[in-house]
């Protein structure tokens, strides 16, 4: 990976995850700058990774070639308008906020700016994540490749051809870990009601989920439907459970949930 001076605006969990991945992959910590309003998170970043820390966004960004916006959507406009005081001609921007379009960023900055939007999910924190990426038309290949390599430190990456497809990434990957947590939570709750020890129930549920995901990943030539059928003996216990899910319209619930997730992302685009 080429090494550029990078400034992270925001010192939350995703910043920690990406910085940790960069350091593990041999990135020079003195090329990494992290900003945050409060000191405790900055002190932890400096102590844990040896990076430079700042409370002043402008000071850190002015010294950097790449600016990574890692703040919540409701704060993004203010942060971008602050950074607009700088000449951004020789810099490029990587952002991970849901819903905020490249046109919004261009309006916030008020000057031509190279922008790459990313949609990482939380398993990025353990190098098991997936990140969707989309770049504005003026971003050169070199900068796209750099953004890709940064996000690959947390797992797999997928480029989308159209910006609106990032909303599909949110529904399929960004928000999806919560779907599986909910499903496992329901399984554990059911098992506990039946007298199973909660710790053992959780161990079984999470290992089943992990094993099923790995089976799917290692058998891409087999459809998900067939993998399901391979577990489902006719008239057996699994068949009874699957029949219950189908009668309860699980597929319809999932479709509605993902549709509503995408709709919320579109609403956020208008809101911010």
């Amino acid at each position: 990976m080429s090494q550029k001076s990078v400034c992270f605006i925001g010192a939350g969990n995703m910043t920690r995850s990406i910085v940790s991945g960069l350091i593990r992959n041999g990135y020079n910590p003195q090329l990494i700058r992290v900003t945050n309003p409060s000191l405790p998170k900055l002190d932890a970043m400096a102590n844990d990774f040896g990076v430079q820390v700042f409370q002043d966004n402008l000071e850190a960004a002015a010294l950097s070639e790449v600016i990574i916006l890692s703040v919540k959507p409701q704060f993004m406009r203010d942060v971008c308008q602050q950074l607009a005081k700088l000449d951004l001609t020789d810099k490029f921007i990587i952002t991970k906020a849901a819903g905020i379009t490249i046109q919004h960023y261009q309006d916030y900055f008020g000057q031509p700016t190279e922008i790459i939007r990313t949609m990482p999910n939380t398993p990025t924190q353990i190098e098991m994540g997936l990140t969707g990426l989309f770049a504005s038309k003026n971003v050169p290949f070199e900068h796209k490749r750099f953004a890709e390599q940064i996000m690959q430190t947390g797992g797999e990456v997928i480029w989308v051809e159209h910006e609106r497809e990032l909303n599909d990434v949110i529904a399929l990957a960004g928000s999806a870990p919560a779907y599986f947590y909910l499903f496992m939570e329901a399984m554990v709750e059911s098992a506990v009601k039946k007298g199973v020890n909660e710790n053992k129930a959780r161990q079984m549920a999470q290992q089943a989920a992990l094993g099923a995901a790995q089976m799917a990943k290692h058998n891409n030539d087999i459809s998900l439907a067939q993998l399901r059928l391979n577990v489902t003996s006719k008239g057996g216990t699994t068949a009874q459970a699957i029949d219950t899910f189908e009668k309860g319209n699980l597929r319809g619930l999932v479709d509605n949930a993902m549709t509503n997730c995408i709709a919320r992302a579109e609403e956020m685009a208008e809101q911010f």
Side-chain angles (χ1 to χ4, degrees):
M1 178 192 299
S2 61
Q3 299 206 4
K4 302 178 184 294
S5 54
V6 178
C7 170
F8 289 83
I9 308 294
N13 289 334
M14 195 59 71
T15 291
R16 281 191 63 87
S17 171
I18 297 172
V19 169
S20 176
L22 290 173
I23 300 299
R24 283 195 306 272
N25 283 271
Y27 213 92
N28 181 355
Q30 287 303 298
L31 290 176
I32 300 173
R33 301 176 179 94
V34 179
T35 76
N36 202 67
S38 59
L39 286 174
K41 288 184 178 181
L42 292 181
D43 291 341
M45 294 294 299
N47 292 332
D48 294 345
F49 304 115
V51 300
Q52 299 183 55
V53 295
F54 298 76
Q55 287 183 286
D56 187 323
N57 291 342
L58 285 177
E59 181 184 2
L63 297 169
S64 306
E65 299 170 85
V66 184
I67 301 171
I68 301 180
L69 301 175
S70 189
V71 299
K72 293 180 180 179
Q74 59 265 36
F75 303 131
M76 192 64 76
R77 180 196 299 267
D78 290 342
V79 168
C80 290
Q81 289 178 343
Q82 180 189 35
L83 295 174
K85 298 173 184 176
L86 300 174
D87 180 359
L88 300 173
T89 305
D90 297 325
K91 306 179 189 295
F92 69 97
I93 311 294
I94 299 173
T95 175
K96 66 174 190 64
I100 303 178
T101 66
I102 284 177
Q103 184 58 58
H104 281 91
Y105 287 107
Q106 299 289 11
D107 292 342
Y108 296 161
F109 289 122
Q111 57 183 295
T113 312
E114 295 179 19
I115 299 170
I116 299 174
R117 287 187 62 195
T118 70
M119 283 290 109
N121 61 8
T122 54
T124 298
Q125 297 173 26
I126 57 167
E127 301 178 63
M128 292 288 290
L130 183 136
T131 300
L133 300 99
F134 178 80
S136 57
K137 293 180 179 179
N138 61 332
V139 177
F141 174 80
E142 174 196 353
H143 293 172
K144 290 181 183 177
R145 181 60 180 149
F146 182 80
E148 179 179 285
Q149 289 175 329
I150 282 183
M151 302 315 297
Q152 280 176 330
T153 63
E156 299 183 6
V157 300
I158 291 178
W159 285 93
V160 298
E161 293 184 19
H162 306 286
E163 187 173 12
R164 65 179 181 274
E165 293 178 278
L166 284 178
N167 292 338
D168 298 326
V169 173
I170 294 172
L172 271 165
S175 298
Y179 313 161
F180 295 109
Y181 297 146
L182 177 61
F183 196 85
M184 288 191 289
E185 183 183 357
M187 290 175 64
V188 171
E189 287 176 355
S190 176
V192 170
K193 286 180 183 178
K194 295 169 178 56
V196 180
N197 174 273
E198 184 173 355
N199 290 335
K200 290 181 179 179
R202 173 168 173 161
Q203 180 183 359
M204 287 186 279
Q206 64 193 25
Q207 187 60 36
L210 177 62
Q214 290 292 342
M215 282 286 289
K217 184 172 183 177
H218 290 291
N219 292 278
N220 277 322
D221 56 326
I222 303 176
S223 70
L224 295 174
Q226 186 60 53
L227 287 172
R228 171 176 55 79
L229 289 171
N230 290 347
V231 188
T232 312
S233 300
K234 188 174 181 180
T237 57
T238 306
Q240 189 68 35
I242 294 297
D243 184 59
T244 303
F245 286 134
E246 295 286 20
K247 287 180 178 177
N249 194 26
L250 177 64
R251 296 173 192 268
L253 280 173
V254 171
D255 182 49
N256 287 340
M258 293 179 65
T259 299
N260 288 337
C261 182
I262 292 170
R264 177 55 184 151
E266 292 170 347
E267 287 175 2
M268 289 172 69
E270 298 299 324
Q271 183 177 353
F272 299 112

